[in-house]
Amino acid sequence: MEQNARQPSQLAAIAAAIEAGLPAQAAALFERWRDPPVAKALVACLLLDQRATLPTLLTAPALDRAGLAAALGELGLAPGGTGPDLIAALLGAAQDPAAEVPRVHFASLVLVAGRHRLAEALLLPAWQGGASSAMVARALSGTWMLLGREAQALEAARIAAEAAPQQPELLEHLAGLLLRAGQPGPALLAAGRAIGASAESHQGWRLASSGLLELGETAEAISAANRAARLSGLHRPHAEQIRTAHAAERPMAQAAERPLIQLPQVPQPEPAFRAAPQPGWARVPADLQPPPPPPLGRAIACRARIIDALMLRETRTMFSSSRLGYAWALFEPLSHVLLLSAVFLFLGHDSRPPIGDSMLTFYMTGVLSFLFFAHLTERAMDLPATNRSLLLVPAVGLFDVLAAKSVLSAVTDLVIAALTFALLIAFGVGHLPTDPASMIACYLVLFLLAFGIACVNMVLSSYSSAWDKLWPSFLRLQYFTCGVFYHPLDMPEDIRSLILLNPLVHVTEWMRQAYYGGYESPFLDVSYLLQWTIGSLIAGTALFAATARQMRRPA
């Protein structure tokens, strides 16, 4: 066959049809391909599993490495470089299409190159369901996992482990997929079998640690994580995270592991296969019942200790991107007030405030509450993306991270508010709040309102990157509509009725009413503000509960 330069995209069209799940259309494209180049025809026949044509193409004089390199390059596969010889793997699979080893080898290289569906097309002719070999089942399990077909990947992993129960890697792969599927009990059994097949299976110990954490066996989980870290330095961060997250929950596990891991028994389906017990395998006592759930008080105390540990971690990273560090937290509200004062002074506005004797204190009572709300709602948006590694610890939940971030943000802003008012008092332009209890109540309601909206923001930003830009823009609009630098009484009545729909206006009025003695806001509606607060909490927690599992998954 002669090279045909007039149809250079025909092979790519066949590959695209295969990747689109249209094998019949791909076969029809190949049949209509007149006088195809030998190398491209060889690749197409291998992808379409047309074994009868392969011997003729392999003996054709026009077949050479340059033509095969061009054919693979047309599929986005780079055959050169210092890596595995893709051309040699292709020829090996074509010379003996019924042999599994060269087929799996070539498909694995295609998979590594990112052509997942082409790798699946190469492996499917060797797939025989439950009768498949461990090698084929394992290769297809990895391929299906990359394609997002988790149920098929899990079934293929079970078949691979059944076919070769003494290979630790197959059992480790099965345990990892079971953990992803939310089945810690079966995952723990698979990890235990991997450890039984090879006591040096560091990945088996790591997976056993994760399964034990899911089942509430913290001490055993720490012990398994320590063993994994000693076997391989790759698992040291995992062990450190578990020790940090559970340092206050239970005493640390003993340094020396017992020869057998006592694994708890949990309700689970009948295993698809049974292997003969081996010395050193993890065992499950038949008389051991699942551990009872901890008392409510103990569970709350554990979550509080986890949140406290996360807050300590967060204090080191909250302002790590700024050279000023925590000094920026104090400078930010002062810069807002000074900028507003300079702008209104330049415009020639009357420097007498609507309330009180100082424009600085009037601005500050609005700026501090607005920044409190803005910081808490903005900092929650990127939590799932920026805490992927931390969420790999099963005991740490996304709600724990959100609560720690929110509480630390609130405490930071409250401390900054106290320092700011202290500075104003030191300069003789401020005074202590007239009604501290009312101001504390205002901050508490504002925290609950912001926390509910923070939950909504976290969910929306996880599903749409556009929300990360829309919300800051919305906050800038809020800055001019929540009464920071004006009083509602100064606005026209029709505009004032619209502004009072904003709950932050009522927060600002409540804050000024608590700060200034003798001032009672005619516009403050606490019941309206509470309605917004309760509504935001219900909406935020409902959205969080419905999407927490999806947000926790790796991207």
Side-chain angles (χ1 to χ4, degrees):
M1 298 182 186
E2 298 179 356
Q3 296 288 339
N4 186 351
R6 293 176 297 175
Q7 296 178 336
S9 60
Q10 192 72 5
L11 178 59
I14 292 172
I18 293 174
E19 292 185 318
L22 303 172
Q25 181 176 339
L29 287 172
F30 181 71
E31 290 176 1
R32 293 196 299 267
W33 195 358
R34 301 302 178 188
D35 195 20
V38 176
K40 296 180 181 181
L42 179 67
V43 175
C45 287
L46 192 59
L47 291 174
L48 296 170
D49 196 35
Q50 297 191 6
R51 304 183 184 185
T53 313
L54 290 173
T56 304
L57 296 172
L58 286 169
T59 57
L63 184 65
D64 56 9
R65 288 185 64 89
L68 290 172
L72 292 173
E74 196 168 309
L75 297 180
L77 306 174
T82 59
D85 192 343
L86 198 60
I87 295 177
L90 167 64
L91 292 173
Q95 287 169 358
D96 192 359
E100 292 182 348
V101 174
R103 179 178 288 272
V104 171
H105 176 55
F106 180 54
S108 299
L109 297 180
V110 174
L111 186 68
V112 170
R115 305 304 296 267
H116 302 158
R117 292 189 180 273
L118 294 184
E120 180 191 22
L122 290 167
L123 292 170
L124 281 177
W127 174 248
Q128 300 176 15
S132 301
S133 68
M135 179 174 54
V136 172
R138 173 63 179 88
L140 266 173
S141 176
T143 305
W144 283 333
M145 183 176 64
L146 291 173
L147 289 172
R149 304 175 191 169
E150 296 186 1
Q152 289 178 279
L154 181 56
E155 182 59 28
R158 291 184 189 276
I159 293 171
E162 180 180 2
Q166 297 303 317
Q167 294 188 20
E169 193 278 333
L170 300 180
L171 293 162
E172 293 164 4
H173 177 66
L174 174 60
L177 289 180
L178 287 168
L179 280 175
R180 287 173 61 93
Q183 302 180 36
L188 195 52
L189 289 176
R193 287 170 178 159
I195 295 169
S198 172
E200 304 303 310
S201 171
H202 57 86
Q203 187 66 19
W205 287 103
R206 160 70 182 267
L207 293 165
S209 171
S210 298
L212 286 163
L213 273 178
E214 290 281 1
L215 295 171
E217 296 294 324
T218 307
E220 293 285 355
I222 295 174
S223 177
N226 290 340
R227 179 66 177 271
R230 282 196 292 273
L231 291 172
S232 173
L234 296 174
H235 305 299
R236 287 173 187 165
H238 171 72
E240 182 63 28
Q241 285 177 348
I242 294 179
R243 287 194 296 266
T244 301
H246 296 276
E249 184 177 352
R250 297 191 180 192
M252 294 295 294
Q254 297 296 328
E257 281 80 6
R258 292 172 292 180
L260 298 178
I261 300 178
Q262 193 82 2
L263 303 181
Q265 183 178 2
V266 296
Q268 55 189 307
E270 185 69 20
F273 63 90
R274 295 182 182 275
Q278 300 292 329
W281 277 37
R283 53 190 173 86
V284 181
D287 58 344
L288 185 63
Q289 298 298 321
L296 179 60
R298 180 182 172 188
I300 294 175
C302 289
R303 299 254 65 87
R305 285 191 287 268
I306 291 174
I307 292 172
D308 180 62
L310 292 174
M311 287 177 61
L312 292 176
R313 171 183 177 272
E314 191 64 33
T315 55
R316 303 178 182 178
T317 60
M318 177 175 286
F319 293 100
S320 59
S321 60
S322 173
R323 293 185 178 182
L324 293 175
Y326 271 86
W328 168 249
L330 179 61
F331 177 74
E332 185 181 12
L334 293 175
S335 65
H336 279 257
V337 171
L338 293 176
L339 180 62
L340 286 174
S341 301
V343 168
F344 284 108
L345 181 62
F346 177 77
L347 294 177
H349 285 203
D350 187 5
S351 60
R352 182 173 180 79
I355 309 171
D357 299 325
S358 170
M359 289 297 297
L360 290 177
T361 56
F362 179 79
Y363 292 152
M364 194 62 72
T365 51
V367 166
L368 290 174
S369 59
F370 171 79
L371 291 180
F372 183 98
F373 176 83
H375 290 159
L376 204 152
T377 55
E378 273 191 304
R379 288 168 181 165
M381 291 198 295
D382 59 346
L383 287 186
T386 57
N387 291 273
R388 294 293 184 196
S389 59
L390 184 62
L391 294 176
L392 293 176
V393 180
V396 178
L398 192 55
F399 186 84
D400 299 328
V401 180
L402 174 62
K405 189 96 170 180
S406 300
V407 172
L408 180 61
S409 176
V411 171
T412 301
D413 281 356
L414 287 175
V415 171
I416 295 304
L419 291 176
T420 302
F421 282 122
L423 284 175
L424 293 179
I425 294 173
F427 283 107
V429 294
H431 57 82
L432 292 175
T434 304
D435 190 353
S438 181
M439 182 169 286
I440 292 173
C442 178
Y443 267 115
L444 178 61
V445 173
L446 180 59
F447 174 79
L448 296 177
L449 172 67
F451 185 79
I453 296 177
C455 291
V456 176
N457 282 348
M458 182 172 63
V459 174
L460 294 180
S461 64
S462 299
Y463 285 90
S464 174
S465 59
W467 190 251
D468 295 340
K469 301 177 179 62
L470 290 176
W471 182 252
S473 300
F474 178 74
L475 284 178
R476 284 192 287 272
L477 177 63
Q478 286 282 344
Y479 190 77
F480 296 99
T481 60
C482 66
V484 169
F485 53 86
Y486 63 87
H487 191 274
L489 196 61
D490 298 333
M491 307 300 293
E493 186 174 353
D494 52 346
I495 297 178
R496 184 195 311 148
S497 60
L498 293 176
I499 290 175
L500 290 176
L501 295 176
N502 185 351
L504 293 184
V505 173
H506 298 269
V507 171
T508 305
E509 286 296 289
W510 194 353
M511 194 73 66
R512 286 169 176 162
Q513 180 173 290
Y515 183 78
Y516 293 105
Y519 171 66
E520 291 189 8
S521 172
F523 308 108
L524 174 60
D525 189 344
V526 176
S527 63
Y528 177 75
L529 180 59
L530 290 176
Q531 291 173 13
W532 263 93
T533 301
I534 296 172
S536 71
L537 287 173
I538 293 175
T541 52
L543 278 175
F544 179 86
T547 59
R549 188 178 182 87
Q550 289 78 4
M551 288 191 293
R552 187 180 179 118
R553 288 180 178 176

